[in-house]
Amino acid sequence: MLLFPRGAAAGVDVRGGAPGTRETDVLTAGNLVDRIHAVLLTGGSAYGLDAASGVMAWCEEQGVGFETPAGRVPIVVAAVLYDLDLGDPSRRPGPAEGRAACRAATSSHPASAAAMLGNVGAGAGATVGKRAGPAHRMKGGLGVAWGRLASGEAMAAVVAVNAVGDVVDPRTGEWLAGAYDRERRRPLPEWGATASPPLGPGQATTLACVVTALPVEGPDLTKVATMAHDGIARAVRPSHTLFDGDAVFAVSVGEGPRYGGLPRAVAVSQAGALAADLVAEAIVAAVRSARGVAGVPSMSDIRAAQTR
């Protein structure tokens, strides 16, 4: 849950073949509304979109939203991932959970927000390596990463990793989590090298939101979101499949000179490049911080078993 009480410019790029989203059309260039008030990344498959109603109600109570003759209307954009096959499928986020997420929101520096990592929020039921079926998947989760542009503006990424593919460290190429043969204690061959159990549509997804202090408007933020998807492609293999609902939001809370005083092409390109780096870093942080649950092992569980 990311809240922007004063409103913020935003863009989105949806790449997966089975997305579950809300209010993303409002971010299309040329539309009247050019500010949002919250971004919700949630589990629960399409049911989880109900949580956005709770976010809207909370924002309305706080006086957040666009002023209209009938009162304020908050703009809450949302995207969901499929996690109904882990634990009790009847327990999924709704309006009460949306309200609770708003109340729990913090302005803490993301680099020190350890409570935001792993099995929390949209990462609670997330798994990776779904390409080989439930018996071989591993735990995914929620990850964050933070950095600064060369011009000094801060940028952060929040990512929920629930992918068909495996997660690797793009800096080293090291396999971290994914489709794993628990008996032989080794990763399974890459997808395409062997036959895999069929997946249903929309049963995987990587969701991300990148927030920057660089003053950028919506159409250019869509470009930042597009470039940020490169971070998913670097760290998740394969990514953007027809079974995934991969979506990236990009938000600017910046004030001051537009583009930080830089030429537009330079500022937007640099922001997109850093966004991709941070998304990849957050994906790695998600699986490193995840804990095994309901018989699905985490990266740390596998490594501990390998040393016995």
Side-chain angles (χ1 to χ4, degrees), residues 58 75 80 86 89 106 117 121 146 171 204 271 286 302 308:
W58 186 89
I75 303 300
V80 299
L86 187 67
T106 175
L117 297 173
W146 180 90
R171 296 171 299 178
I302 295 297
R308 292 173 190 162

Side-chain angles (χ1 to χ4, degrees), residues 78-108:
V80 299
L81 55 80
Y82 180 91
D83 56 5
L84 299 179
D85 56 352
L86 187 67
D88 183 353
S90 68
R91 296 187 62 185
R92 53 229 185 193
E97 286 72 24
R99 282 178 174 274
C102 292
R103 291 194 298 268
T106 175
S107 58
S108 297

Side-chain angles (χ1 to χ4, degrees), residues 48-245:
L49 290 172
D50 282 348
S53 297
V55 178
M56 283 195 71
W58 186 89
C59 288
E60 181 185 23
E61 292 165 3
Q62 306 302 311
V64 172
F66 280 101
E67 189 67 57
T68 77
R72 290 190 176 272
V73 178
I75 303 300
V76 178
V77 298
V80 299
L81 55 80
Y82 180 91
D83 56 5
L84 299 179
D85 56 352
L86 187 67
D88 183 353
S90 68
R91 296 187 62 185
R92 53 229 185 193
E97 286 72 24
R99 282 178 174 274
C102 292
R103 291 194 298 268
T106 175
S107 58
S108 297
H109 192 298
S112 62
M116 294 174 60
L117 297 173
N119 297 28
V120 297
T127 57
V128 296
K130 298 168 185 278
R131 63 185 176 84
H136 299 291
R137 61 185 173 170
M138 289 176 60
K139 192 68 181 67
L142 195 74
V144 298
W146 180 90
R148 286 190 180 275
L149 293 162
S151 49
E153 290 85 1
M155 178 177 285
V158 179
V159 183
V161 190
N162 185 62
V164 163
D166 298 353
V167 175
V168 301
D169 186 334
R171 296 171 299 178
T172 64
E174 178 187 12
W175 183 92
L176 300 178
Y180 188 77
D181 188 327
R182 300 177 197 176
E183 292 184 2
R184 295 182 174 84
R185 296 189 175 187
R186 65 187 185 191
L188 290 172
E190 292 186 3
W191 211 15
T194 60
S196 298
L199 295 169
Q203 293 185 9
T205 284
T206 298
L207 304 175
C209 182
V210 177
V211 183
T212 181
L214 182 72
V216 180
E217 293 303 310
D220 288 328
L221 287 165
T222 296
K223 180 60 178 178
V224 172
T226 296
M227 293 180 67
H229 268 284
D230 290 349
I232 298 178
R234 292 172 195 167
V236 179
R237 300 177 184 174
S239 57
H240 306 135
T241 74
L242 283 174
F243 302 103
D244 290 289

